[in-house]
PDB file of all heavy atoms in Angstrom:
ATOM      1  N   ASP A   1     162.626  82.197 203.645  1.00  0.00           N
ATOM      2  CA  ASP A   1     164.004  82.519 203.409  1.00  0.00           C
ATOM      3  C   ASP A   1     164.270  82.487 201.924  1.00  0.00           C
ATOM      4  O   ASP A   1     164.304  81.399 201.276  1.00  0.00           O
ATOM      5  CB  ASP A   1     164.911  81.490 204.101  1.00  0.00           C
ATOM      6  CG  ASP A   1     166.408  81.848 204.029  1.00  0.00           C
ATOM      7  OD1 ASP A   1     166.748  82.705 203.185  1.00  0.00           O
ATOM      8  OD2 ASP A   1     167.198  81.278 204.807  1.00  0.00           O
ATOM      9  N   PRO A   2     164.475  83.637 201.267  1.00  0.00           N
ATOM     10  CA  PRO A   2     164.648  83.693 199.835  1.00  0.00           C
ATOM     11  C   PRO A   2     165.883  82.943 199.369  1.00  0.00           C
ATOM     12  O   PRO A   2     165.933  82.342 198.319  1.00  0.00           O
ATOM     13  CB  PRO A   2     164.714  85.181 199.507  1.00  0.00           C
ATOM     14  CG  PRO A   2     165.111  85.817 200.842  1.00  0.00           C
ATOM     15  CD  PRO A   2     164.415  84.971 201.883  1.00  0.00           C
ATOM     16  N   VAL A   3     166.903  82.943 200.183  1.00  0.00           N
ATOM     17  CA  VAL A   3     168.146  82.195 199.846  1.00  0.00           C
ATOM     18  C   VAL A   3     167.857  80.698 199.840  1.00  0.00           C
ATOM     19  O   VAL A   3     168.259  79.989 198.927  1.00  0.00           O
ATOM     20  CB  VAL A   3     169.280  82.555 200.830  1.00  0.00           C
ATOM     21  CG1 VAL A   3     170.500  81.675 200.511  1.00  0.00           C
ATOM     22  CG2 VAL A   3     169.645  84.017 200.752  1.00  0.00           C
ATOM     23  N   ALA A   4     167.185  80.277 200.875  1.00  0.00           N
ATOM     24  CA  ALA A   4     166.817  78.865 200.949  1.00  0.00           C
ATOM     25  C   ALA A   4     165.959  78.449 199.812  1.00  0.00           C
ATOM     26  O   ALA A   4     166.055  77.351 199.241  1.00  0.00           O
ATOM     27  CB  ALA A   4     166.157  78.564 202.276  1.00  0.00           C
ATOM     28  N   THR A   5     165.016  79.393 199.436  1.00  0.00           N
ATOM     29  CA  THR A   5     164.125  79.099 198.294  1.00  0.00           C
ATOM     30  C   THR A   5     164.914  78.871 196.997  1.00  0.00           C
ATOM     31  O   THR A   5     164.657  77.936 196.234  1.00  0.00           O
ATOM     32  CB  THR A   5     163.125  80.232 198.096  1.00  0.00           C
ATOM     33  OG1 THR A   5     162.366  80.443 199.292  1.00  0.00           O
ATOM     34  CG2 THR A   5     162.191  79.925 196.968  1.00  0.00           C
ATOM     35  N   LYS A   6     165.897  79.759 196.758  1.00  0.00           N
ATOM     36  CA  LYS A   6     166.739  79.648 195.585  1.00  0.00           C
ATOM     37  C   LYS A   6     167.536  78.352 195.596  1.00  0.00           C
ATOM     38  O   LYS A   6     167.607  77.625 194.582  1.00  0.00           O
ATOM     39  CB  LYS A   6     167.719  80.830 195.509  1.00  0.00           C
ATOM     40  CG  LYS A   6     168.502  80.908 194.240  1.00  0.00           C
ATOM     41  CD  LYS A   6     167.581  81.103 193.003  1.00  0.00           C
ATOM     42  CE  LYS A   6     168.386  81.271 191.699  1.00  0.00           C
ATOM     43  NZ  LYS A   6     167.465  81.464 190.585  1.00  0.00           N
ATOM     44  N   VAL A   7     168.064  77.996 196.712  1.00  0.00           N
ATOM     45  CA  VAL A   7     168.878  76.693 196.829  1.00  0.00           C
ATOM     46  C   VAL A   7     167.926  75.566 196.572  1.00  0.00           C
ATOM     47  O   VAL A   7     168.299  74.577 195.895  1.00  0.00           O
ATOM     48  CB  VAL A   7     169.486  76.619 198.278  1.00  0.00           C
ATOM     49  CG1 VAL A   7     170.054  75.209 198.452  1.00  0.00           C
ATOM     50  CG2 VAL A   7     170.543  77.639 198.427  1.00  0.00           C
ATOM     51  N   ALA A   8     166.714  75.592 197.095  1.00  0.00           N
ATOM     52  CA  ALA A   8     165.799  74.459 196.920  1.00  0.00           C
ATOM     53  C   ALA A   8     165.414  74.334 195.455  1.00  0.00           C
ATOM     54  O   ALA A   8     165.329  73.213 194.934  1.00  0.00           O
ATOM     55  CB  ALA A   8     164.514  74.721 197.782  1.00  0.00           C
ATOM     56  N   GLU A   9     165.196  75.475 194.799  1.00  0.00           N
ATOM     57  CA  GLU A   9     164.855  75.395 193.338  1.00  0.00           C
ATOM     58  C   GLU A   9     166.021  74.811 192.562  1.00  0.00           C
ATOM     59  O   GLU A   9     165.858  73.967 191.681  1.00  0.00           O
ATOM     60  CB  GLU A   9     164.562  76.793 192.807  1.00  0.00           C
ATOM     61  CG  GLU A   9     163.249  77.359 193.398  1.00  0.00           C
ATOM     62  CD  GLU A   9     163.060  78.809 193.031  1.00  0.00           C
ATOM     63  OE1 GLU A   9     163.983  79.432 192.461  1.00  0.00           O
ATOM     64  OE2 GLU A   9     161.973  79.326 193.236  1.00  0.00           O
ATOM     65  N   ASN A  10     167.249  75.258 192.816  1.00  0.00           N
ATOM     66  CA  ASN A  10     168.373  74.749 192.068  1.00  0.00           C
ATOM     67  C   ASN A  10     168.616  73.248 192.387  1.00  0.00           C
ATOM     68  O   ASN A  10     168.953  72.468 191.494  1.00  0.00           O
ATOM     69  CB  ASN A  10     169.660  75.516 192.453  1.00  0.00           C
ATOM     70  CG  ASN A  10     169.575  77.001 191.947  1.00  0.00           C
ATOM     71  OD1 ASN A  10     168.814  77.300 191.026  1.00  0.00           O
ATOM     72  ND2 ASN A  10     170.364  77.862 192.594  1.00  0.00           N
ATOM     73  N   THR A  11     168.444  72.871 193.636  1.00  0.00           N
ATOM     74  CA  THR A  11     168.715  71.522 194.007  1.00  0.00           C
ATOM     75  C   THR A  11     167.688  70.570 193.388  1.00  0.00           C
ATOM     76  O   THR A  11     167.975  69.493 192.929  1.00  0.00           O
ATOM     77  CB  THR A  11     168.652  71.349 195.530  1.00  0.00           C
ATOM     78  OG1 THR A  11     169.638  72.241 196.110  1.00  0.00           O
ATOM     79  CG2 THR A  11     168.964  69.933 195.983  1.00  0.00           C
ATOM     80  N   SER A  12     166.370  70.996 193.447  1.00  0.00           N
ATOM     81  CA  SER A  12     165.348  70.182 192.935  1.00  0.00           C
ATOM     82  C   SER A  12     165.461  69.870 191.439  1.00  0.00           C
ATOM     83  O   SER A  12     165.036  68.893 190.934  1.00  0.00           O
ATOM     84  CB  SER A  12     163.974  70.772 193.232  1.00  0.00           C
ATOM     85  OG  SER A  12     163.823  72.036 192.548  1.00  0.00           O
ATOM     86  N   SER A  13     166.107  70.775 190.726  1.00  0.00           N
ATOM     87  CA  SER A  13     166.280  70.613 189.279  1.00  0.00           C
ATOM     88  C   SER A  13     167.373  69.626 188.953  1.00  0.00           C
ATOM     89  O   SER A  13     167.466  69.139 187.821  1.00  0.00           O
ATOM     90  CB  SER A  13     166.501  71.946 188.612  1.00  0.00           C
ATOM     91  OG  SER A  13     167.744  72.469 189.040  1.00  0.00           O
ATOM     92  N   ARG A  14     168.261  69.381 189.923  1.00  0.00           N
ATOM     93  CA  ARG A  14     169.471  68.549 189.634  1.00  0.00           C
ATOM     94  C   ARG A  14     169.428  67.207 190.329  1.00  0.00           C
ATOM     95  O   ARG A  14     169.886  66.235 189.804  1.00  0.00           O
ATOM     96  CB  ARG A  14     170.733  69.278 190.075  1.00  0.00           C
ATOM     97  CG  ARG A  14     171.025  70.554 189.382  1.00  0.00           C
ATOM     98  CD  ARG A  14     172.461  70.978 189.615  1.00  0.00           C
ATOM     99  NE  ARG A  14     172.816  70.978 191.026  1.00  0.00           N
ATOM    100  CZ  ARG A  14     172.717  71.999 191.815  1.00  0.00           C
ATOM    101  NH1 ARG A  14     172.257  73.146 191.402  1.00  0.00           N
ATOM    102  NH2 ARG A  14     173.040  71.871 193.122  1.00  0.00           N
ATOM    103  N   GLU A  15     168.848  67.116 191.532  1.00  0.00           N
ATOM    104  CA  GLU A  15     168.973  65.907 192.325  1.00  0.00           C
ATOM    105  C   GLU A  15     167.652  65.211 192.490  1.00  0.00           C
ATOM    106  O   GLU A  15     166.634  65.809 192.784  1.00  0.00           O
ATOM    107  CB  GLU A  15     169.507  66.271 193.730  1.00  0.00           C
ATOM    108  CG  GLU A  15     170.897  66.904 193.704  1.00  0.00           C
ATOM    109  CD  GLU A  15     171.386  67.277 195.054  1.00  0.00           C
ATOM    110  OE1 GLU A  15     170.612  67.065 196.050  1.00  0.00           O
ATOM    111  OE2 GLU A  15     172.492  67.818 195.164  1.00  0.00           O
ATOM    112  N   PRO A  16     167.591  63.903 192.227  1.00  0.00           N
ATOM    113  CA  PRO A  16     166.334  63.150 192.415  1.00  0.00           C
ATOM    114  C   PRO A  16     165.964  63.028 193.903  1.00  0.00           C
ATOM    115  O   PRO A  16     166.875  63.058 194.751  1.00  0.00           O
ATOM    116  CB  PRO A  16     166.648  61.787 191.872  1.00  0.00           C
ATOM    117  CG  PRO A  16     168.158  61.673 192.048  1.00  0.00           C
ATOM    118  CD  PRO A  16     168.696  63.052 191.819  1.00  0.00           C
ATOM    119  N   VAL A  17     164.725  62.953 194.203  1.00  0.00           N
ATOM    120  CA  VAL A  17     164.220  62.796 195.518  1.00  0.00           C
ATOM    121  C   VAL A  17     164.210  61.323 195.848  1.00  0.00           C
ATOM    122  O   VAL A  17     163.657  60.532 195.132  1.00  0.00           O
ATOM    123  CB  VAL A  17     162.861  63.439 195.725  1.00  0.00           C
ATOM    124  CG1 VAL A  17     162.305  63.139 197.131  1.00  0.00           C
ATOM    125  CG2 VAL A  17     162.858  64.937 195.427  1.00  0.00           C
ATOM    126  N   VAL A  18     164.777  60.942 196.965  1.00  0.00           N
ATOM    127  CA  VAL A  18     164.782  59.537 197.372  1.00  0.00           C
ATOM    128  C   VAL A  18     163.517  59.188 198.029  1.00  0.00           C
ATOM    129  O   VAL A  18     163.122  59.849 198.984  1.00  0.00           O
ATOM    130  CB  VAL A  18     165.995  59.228 198.356  1.00  0.00           C
ATOM    131  CG1 VAL A  18     166.006  57.808 198.784  1.00  0.00           C
ATOM    132  CG2 VAL A  18     167.319  59.588 197.714  1.00  0.00           C
ATOM    133  N   ALA A  19     162.869  58.143 197.553  1.00  0.00           N
ATOM    134  CA  ALA A  19     161.613  57.722 198.108  1.00  0.00           C
ATOM    135  C   ALA A  19     161.744  57.213 199.562  1.00  0.00           C
ATOM    136  O   ALA A  19     162.728  56.593 199.849  1.00  0.00           O
ATOM    137  CB  ALA A  19     160.982  56.676 197.206  1.00  0.00           C
ATOM    138  N   ALA A  20     160.768  57.465 200.339  1.00  0.00           N
ATOM    139  CA  ALA A  20     160.805  57.104 201.769  1.00  0.00           C
ATOM    140  C   ALA A  20     160.911  55.608 201.921  1.00  0.00           C
ATOM    141  O   ALA A  20     161.475  55.072 202.902  1.00  0.00           O
ATOM    142  CB  ALA A  20     159.642  57.636 202.544  1.00  0.00           C
ATOM    143  N   LYS A  21     160.379  54.836 200.929  1.00  0.00           N
ATOM    144  CA  LYS A  21     160.309  53.378 201.059  1.00  0.00           C
ATOM    145  C   LYS A  21     161.633  52.746 200.732  1.00  0.00           C
ATOM    146  O   LYS A  21     161.821  51.536 200.915  1.00  0.00           O
ATOM    147  CB  LYS A  21     159.221  52.835 200.123  1.00  0.00           C
ATOM    148  CG  LYS A  21     159.526  53.072 198.632  1.00  0.00           C
ATOM    149  CD  LYS A  21     158.381  52.414 197.786  1.00  0.00           C
ATOM    150  CE  LYS A  21     158.642  52.683 196.296  1.00  0.00           C
ATOM    151  NZ  LYS A  21     157.566  52.113 195.482  1.00  0.00           N
ATOM    152  N   GLU A  22     162.639  53.545 200.239  1.00  0.00           N
ATOM    153  CA  GLU A  22     163.928  52.988 199.902  1.00  0.00           C
ATOM    154  C   GLU A  22     164.776  52.904 201.201  1.00  0.00           C
ATOM    155  O   GLU A  22     165.469  53.838 201.570  1.00  0.00           O
ATOM    156  CB  GLU A  22     164.647  53.831 198.849  1.00  0.00           C
ATOM    157  CG  GLU A  22     163.945  53.779 197.490  1.00  0.00           C
ATOM    158  CD  GLU A  22     164.664  54.628 196.451  1.00  0.00           C
ATOM    159  OE1 GLU A  22     165.770  55.118 196.727  1.00  0.00           O
ATOM    160  OE2 GLU A  22     164.055  54.827 195.344  1.00  0.00           O
ATOM    161  N   LEU A  23     164.728  51.752 201.843  1.00  0.00           N
ATOM    162  CA  LEU A  23     165.427  51.587 203.079  1.00  0.00           C
ATOM    163  C   LEU A  23     166.848  51.123 202.875  1.00  0.00           C
ATOM    164  O   LEU A  23     167.091  50.376 201.932  1.00  0.00           O
ATOM    165  CB  LEU A  23     164.662  50.560 203.952  1.00  0.00           C
ATOM    166  CG  LEU A  23     163.228  50.903 204.307  1.00  0.00           C
ATOM    167  CD1 LEU A  23     162.534  49.740 205.008  1.00  0.00           C
ATOM    168  CD2 LEU A  23     163.173  52.116 205.146  1.00  0.00           C
ATOM    169  N   PRO A  24     167.788  51.483 203.721  1.00  0.00           N
ATOM    170  CA  PRO A  24     169.161  51.055 203.564  1.00  0.00           C
ATOM    171  C   PRO A  24     169.314  49.609 203.902  1.00  0.00           C
ATOM    172  O   PRO A  24     168.676  49.067 204.812  1.00  0.00           O
ATOM    173  CB  PRO A  24     169.913  51.938 204.559  1.00  0.00           C
ATOM    174  CG  PRO A  24     168.909  52.278 205.622  1.00  0.00           C
ATOM    175  CD  PRO A  24     167.621  52.406 204.880  1.00  0.00           C
ATOM    176  N   SER A  25     170.219  48.954 203.237  1.00  0.00           N
ATOM    177  CA  SER A  25     170.506  47.519 203.509  1.00  0.00           C
ATOM    178  C   SER A  25     171.390  47.424 204.745  1.00  0.00           C
ATOM    179  O   SER A  25     172.272  48.257 204.982  1.00  0.00           O
ATOM    180  CB  SER A  25     171.236  46.843 202.337  1.00  0.00           C
ATOM    181  OG  SER A  25     170.378  46.806 201.190  1.00  0.00           O
ATOM    182  N   ALA A  26     171.111  46.416 205.563  1.00  0.00           N
ATOM    183  CA  ALA A  26     171.900  46.183 206.742  1.00  0.00           C
ATOM    184  C   ALA A  26     173.347  45.629 206.326  1.00  0.00           C
ATOM    185  O   ALA A  26     173.432  44.912 205.351  1.00  0.00           O
ATOM    186  CB  ALA A  26     171.239  45.188 207.667  1.00  0.00           C
ATOM    187  N   PRO A  27     174.357  45.993 207.093  1.00  0.00           N
ATOM    188  CA  PRO A  27     175.673  45.396 206.768  1.00  0.00           C
ATOM    189  C   PRO A  27     175.633  43.889 206.881  1.00  0.00           C
ATOM    190  O   PRO A  27     174.849  43.327 207.629  1.00  0.00           O
ATOM    191  CB  PRO A  27     176.567  45.977 207.883  1.00  0.00           C
ATOM    192  CG  PRO A  27     175.853  47.191 208.364  1.00  0.00           C
ATOM    193  CD  PRO A  27     174.379  46.884 208.214  1.00  0.00           C
ATOM    194  N   ASN A  28     176.477  43.241 206.053  1.00  0.00           N
ATOM    195  CA  ASN A  28     176.475  41.772 206.107  1.00  0.00           C
ATOM    196  C   ASN A  28     177.381  41.335 207.285  1.00  0.00           C
ATOM    197  O   ASN A  28     178.487  40.837 207.108  1.00  0.00           O
ATOM    198  CB  ASN A  28     177.031  41.234 204.792  1.00  0.00           C
ATOM    199  CG  ASN A  28     176.994  39.710 204.768  1.00  0.00           C
ATOM    200  OD1 ASN A  28     176.164  39.109 205.443  1.00  0.00           O
ATOM    201  ND2 ASN A  28     177.799  39.128 203.874  1.00  0.00           N
ATOM    202  N   ALA A  29     176.843  41.536 208.484  1.00  0.00           N
ATOM    203  CA  ALA A  29     177.603  41.294 209.699  1.00  0.00           C
ATOM    204  C   ALA A  29     177.592  39.763 209.963  1.00  0.00           C
ATOM    205  O   ALA A  29     176.670  39.028 209.666  1.00  0.00           O
ATOM    206  CB  ALA A  29     177.011  42.040 210.860  1.00  0.00           C
ATOM    207  N   VAL A  30     178.696  39.332 210.560  1.00  0.00           N
ATOM    208  CA  VAL A  30     178.787  37.918 211.005  1.00  0.00           C
ATOM    209  C   VAL A  30     179.211  37.948 212.487  1.00  0.00           C
ATOM    210  O   VAL A  30     180.305  38.327 212.808  1.00  0.00           O
ATOM    211  CB  VAL A  30     179.816  37.145 210.190  1.00  0.00           C
ATOM    212  CG1 VAL A  30     179.909  35.692 210.664  1.00  0.00           C
ATOM    213  CG2 VAL A  30     179.474  37.165 208.687  1.00  0.00           C
ATOM    214  N   PHE A  31     178.282  37.561 213.344  1.00  0.00           N
ATOM    215  CA  PHE A  31     178.549  37.511 214.750  1.00  0.00           C
ATOM    216  C   PHE A  31     178.945  36.057 215.172  1.00  0.00           C
ATOM    217  O   PHE A  31     178.980  35.171 214.309  1.00  0.00           O
ATOM    218  CB  PHE A  31     177.329  37.955 215.540  1.00  0.00           C
ATOM    219  CG  PHE A  31     176.846  39.334 215.186  1.00  0.00           C
ATOM    220  CD1 PHE A  31     175.610  39.578 214.593  1.00  0.00           C
ATOM    221  CD2 PHE A  31     177.642  40.451 215.402  1.00  0.00           C
ATOM    222  CE1 PHE A  31     175.163  40.818 214.178  1.00  0.00           C
ATOM    223  CE2 PHE A  31     177.257  41.746 215.067  1.00  0.00           C
ATOM    224  CZ  PHE A  31     175.982  41.915 214.413  1.00  0.00           C
ATOM    225  N   ARG A  32     179.209  35.837 216.430  1.00  0.00           N
ATOM    226  CA  ARG A  32     179.592  34.535 216.870  1.00  0.00           C
ATOM    227  C   ARG A  32     178.824  34.108 218.124  1.00  0.00           C
ATOM    228  O   ARG A  32     178.744  34.884 219.062  1.00  0.00           O
ATOM    229  CB  ARG A  32     181.129  34.506 217.165  1.00  0.00           C
ATOM    230  CG  ARG A  32     181.653  33.089 217.417  1.00  0.00           C
ATOM    231  CD  ARG A  32     183.181  33.067 217.403  1.00  0.00           C
ATOM    232  NE  ARG A  32     183.708  33.582 216.184  1.00  0.00           N
ATOM    233  CZ  ARG A  32     183.882  32.869 215.083  1.00  0.00           C
ATOM    234  NH1 ARG A  32     183.445  31.605 215.056  1.00  0.00           N
ATOM    235  NH2 ARG A  32     184.407  33.365 213.973  1.00  0.00           N
ATOM    236  N   GLY A  33     178.241  32.946 218.021  1.00  0.00           N
ATOM    237  CA  GLY A  33     177.467  32.432 219.180  1.00  0.00           C
ATOM    238  C   GLY A  33     178.403  32.053 220.308  1.00  0.00           C
ATOM    239  O   GLY A  33     179.590  31.852 220.125  1.00  0.00           O
ATOM    240  N   MET A  34     177.815  31.796 221.455  1.00  0.00           N
ATOM    241  CA  MET A  34     178.604  31.454 222.639  1.00  0.00           C
ATOM    242  C   MET A  34     179.269  30.090 222.445  1.00  0.00           C
ATOM    243  O   MET A  34     180.258  29.763 223.096  1.00  0.00           O
ATOM    244  CB  MET A  34     177.734  31.386 223.880  1.00  0.00           C
ATOM    245  CG  MET A  34     177.170  32.771 224.258  1.00  0.00           C
ATOM    246  SD  MET A  34     178.437  34.025 224.571  1.00  0.00           S
ATOM    247  CE  MET A  34     179.122  33.371 226.153  1.00  0.00           C
ATOM    248  N   ASP A  35     178.743  29.238 221.544  1.00  0.00           N
ATOM    249  CA  ASP A  35     179.330  27.952 221.302  1.00  0.00           C
ATOM    250  C   ASP A  35     180.299  27.981 220.132  1.00  0.00           C
ATOM    251  O   ASP A  35     180.831  26.960 219.747  1.00  0.00           O
ATOM    252  CB  ASP A  35     178.264  26.899 220.993  1.00  0.00           C
ATOM    253  CG  ASP A  35     177.368  27.301 219.813  1.00  0.00           C
ATOM    254  OD1 ASP A  35     177.627  28.377 219.207  1.00  0.00           O
ATOM    255  OD2 ASP A  35     176.445  26.536 219.467  1.00  0.00           O
ATOM    256  N   GLY A  36     180.539  29.208 219.605  1.00  0.00           N
ATOM    257  CA  GLY A  36     181.544  29.300 218.507  1.00  0.00           C
ATOM    258  C   GLY A  36     180.973  29.362 217.114  1.00  0.00           C
ATOM    259  O   GLY A  36     181.718  29.640 216.135  1.00  0.00           O
ATOM    260  N   HIS A  37     179.706  29.063 216.932  1.00  0.00           N
ATOM    261  CA  HIS A  37     179.163  29.033 215.556  1.00  0.00           C
ATOM    262  C   HIS A  37     178.936  30.449 215.072  1.00  0.00           C
ATOM    263  O   HIS A  37     178.697  31.349 215.847  1.00  0.00           O
ATOM    264  CB  HIS A  37     177.857  28.200 215.513  1.00  0.00           C
ATOM    265  CG  HIS A  37     176.684  28.914 216.112  1.00  0.00           C
ATOM    266  ND1 HIS A  37     176.465  29.070 217.418  1.00  0.00           N
ATOM    267  CD2 HIS A  37     175.646  29.576 215.440  1.00  0.00           C
ATOM    268  CE1 HIS A  37     175.328  29.742 217.673  1.00  0.00           C
ATOM    269  NE2 HIS A  37     174.833  30.113 216.495  1.00  0.00           N
ATOM    270  N   GLU A  38     178.972  30.599 213.738  1.00  0.00           N
ATOM    271  CA  GLU A  38     178.807  31.912 213.116  1.00  0.00           C
ATOM    272  C   GLU A  38     177.311  32.223 212.987  1.00  0.00           C
ATOM    273  O   GLU A  38     176.489  31.298 212.667  1.00  0.00           O
ATOM    274  CB  GLU A  38     179.479  31.974 211.758  1.00  0.00           C
ATOM    275  CG  GLU A  38     180.981  31.981 211.841  1.00  0.00           C
ATOM    276  CD  GLU A  38     181.626  32.246 210.467  1.00  0.00           C
ATOM    277  OE1 GLU A  38     180.924  32.121 209.443  1.00  0.00           O
ATOM    278  OE2 GLU A  38     182.818  32.561 210.434  1.00  0.00           O
ATOM    279  N   VAL A  39     176.963  33.457 213.197  1.00  0.00           N
ATOM    280  CA  VAL A  39     175.588  33.959 213.015  1.00  0.00           C
ATOM    281  C   VAL A  39     175.665  35.070 211.948  1.00  0.00           C
ATOM    282  O   VAL A  39     176.111  36.181 212.258  1.00  0.00           O
ATOM    283  CB  VAL A  39     174.999  34.467 214.288  1.00  0.00           C
ATOM    284  CG1 VAL A  39     173.560  34.970 214.070  1.00  0.00           C
ATOM    285  CG2 VAL A  39     175.015  33.361 215.366  1.00  0.00           C
ATOM    286  N   SER A  40     175.299  34.720 210.782  1.00  0.00           N
ATOM    287  CA  SER A  40     175.404  35.687 209.625  1.00  0.00           C
ATOM    288  C   SER A  40     174.057  36.314 209.326  1.00  0.00           C
ATOM    289  O   SER A  40     173.045  35.599 209.136  1.00  0.00           O
ATOM    290  CB  SER A  40     175.907  34.994 208.370  1.00  0.00           C
ATOM    291  OG  SER A  40     175.895  35.801 207.201  1.00  0.00           O
ATOM    292  N   LEU A  41     174.035  37.632 209.241  1.00  0.00           N
ATOM    293  CA  LEU A  41     172.826  38.322 208.897  1.00  0.00           C
ATOM    294  C   LEU A  41     172.294  37.897 207.460  1.00  0.00           C
ATOM    295  O   LEU A  41     171.088  37.847 207.277  1.00  0.00           O
ATOM    296  CB  LEU A  41     172.978  39.839 208.925  1.00  0.00           C
ATOM    297  CG  LEU A  41     173.008  40.479 210.366  1.00  0.00           C
ATOM    298  CD1 LEU A  41     173.103  41.986 210.205  1.00  0.00           C
ATOM    299  CD2 LEU A  41     171.777  40.112 211.134  1.00  0.00           C
TER     300      LEU A  41
END
């Protein structure tokens, strides 16, 4: 696809590629145990 090729060329010159090893951080969730105590990630 020549259009897709052009977009890919333009995009690659402007935007960095995110490495696969860069994993997203989990939300800092705080759950609650059955006895009422907090369970914080």
